[in-house]
Amino acid sequence: EFEVVVNGRVVPAEDVFPHEEGFETPVRAEAGVLKVEPDMADTPEEYLENVYALLKGIDCALSTKGKVYPIVGTMCFGSHDRGTRNVLRIFAQDIVRVLDDFVGRPLLPTYGKACWEEKLAGLGNYRLAPYGLAYRVPASIYAERETLRIVYKLAKNLLETLLKEGEVSYRTRKGYPLREEYLRFLSEEEVDLLLSFPERYRGGDKLVPVEEVSHV
């Protein structure tokens, strides 16, 4: 989800993207925000291609700040295999606990003001779905293309480890996984980028350009 920005001001998405009766499109305005629903992908890189293919034709600025509207991101995890889908649903709480620790907790400060006001920010937010499960994260991850890729790579590696080994054991300090635990799933550079993202995001002027998406 994104806020739509025109002339430096957040406006209802419906003002720019009017709804067409009878059409359910992957890019649509709803409840004041722009919702983008890319196709499922097998790799983080393919997912990014799907996202930016949908955003390519948008000629206005998009914000991930969530100052006016409570925007979020939804990570959808599924499988072509029915058995795997059932496992995702049955062990959803265990999966979400691991995602919370590695992904949700470090990103928590980047939820927008409107999300906190509407009580949408926080950990443990997920829902079961026919394809598996959907996990809520801040919309902020869409402000940096590389951070978006890293978040999906980390989540995919965590889930594959859980499904293969039945658990993910790791050490924490004050509720946060130790840096070396992240290095089991990401490179040194990727860990640095992910863990420093909240500080960059607060600054706003050091973000990596991400093509069509603007951080306003």
Side-chain angles (χ1 to χ4, degrees):
E1 296 175 344
F2 299 93
E3 288 179 315
V4 175
V5 181
V6 177
N7 296 326
R9 185 172 62 89
V10 175
V11 301
E14 290 87 347
D15 291 356
V16 182
F17 302 90
H19 176 67
E20 294 185 43
E21 287 294 335
F23 290 93
E24 187 73 10
T25 62
V27 179
R28 66 184 187 277
E30 187 176 308
V33 307
L34 189 68
K35 293 180 178 286
V36 178
E37 296 181 355
D39 289 338
M40 298 286 262
D42 292 325
T43 66
E45 291 75 18
E46 183 185 349
Y47 175 75
L48 261 66
E49 288 180 10
N50 293 346
V51 171
Y52 290 107
L54 292 177
L55 295 174
K56 193 172 183 180
I58 296 175
D59 58 3
C60 64
L62 300 178
S63 172
T64 60
K65 276 291 192 180
K67 293 179 179 179
V68 179
Y69 294 100
I71 55 174
V72 298
T74 302
M75 303 181 75
C76 301
F77 302 106
S79 173
H80 299 296
D81 177 69
R82 180 186 296 178
T84 302
R85 291 196 299 270
N86 288 338
V87 170
L88 287 172
R89 290 190 286 263
I90 292 170
F91 294 98
Q93 291 188 351
D94 294 326
I95 292 169
V96 169
R97 176 182 56 80
V98 173
L99 290 175
D100 273 350
D101 285 347
F102 279 88
V103 179
R105 201 175 297 278
L107 294 176
L108 197 58
T110 66
Y111 270 107
K113 175 185 174 184
C115 265
W116 290 106
E117 292 175 345
E118 295 292 327
K119 295 182 171 53
L120 292 178
L123 300 175
N125 295 313
Y126 77 99
R127 58 179 171 80
L128 301 181
Y131 53 78
L133 66 89
Y135 176 71
R136 182 189 298 162
V137 292
S140 62
I141 60 173
Y142 288 86
E144 275 190 13
R145 184 177 186 129
E146 183 61 3
T147 293
L148 180 63
R149 184 191 68 79
I150 292 168
V151 167
Y152 271 87
K153 176 183 175 180
L154 174 59
K156 186 174 189 291
N157 287 344
L158 286 167
L159 259 68
E160 287 179 343
T161 301
L162 262 171
L163 292 173
K164 191 179 301 182
E165 301 178 8
E167 65 175 353
V168 177
S169 299
Y170 50 93
R171 295 163 297 161
T172 63
R173 182 181 294 120
K174 296 182 178 179
Y176 292 84
L178 299 180
R179 175 185 169 80
E180 46 263 44
E181 302 295 350
Y182 279 94
L183 290 172
R184 295 163 54 192
F185 308 101
L186 300 171
S187 70
E188 290 267 8
E189 183 180 6
E190 289 170 335
V191 173
D192 287 341
L193 280 170
L194 175 64
L195 297 183
S196 62
F197 174 68
E199 184 177 352
R200 292 199 310 281
Y201 191 74
R202 281 194 297 268
D205 58 344
K206 299 178 182 178
L207 290 175
V208 179
V210 289
E211 300 181 357
E212 292 83 8
V213 181
S214 300
H215 179 76
V216 179

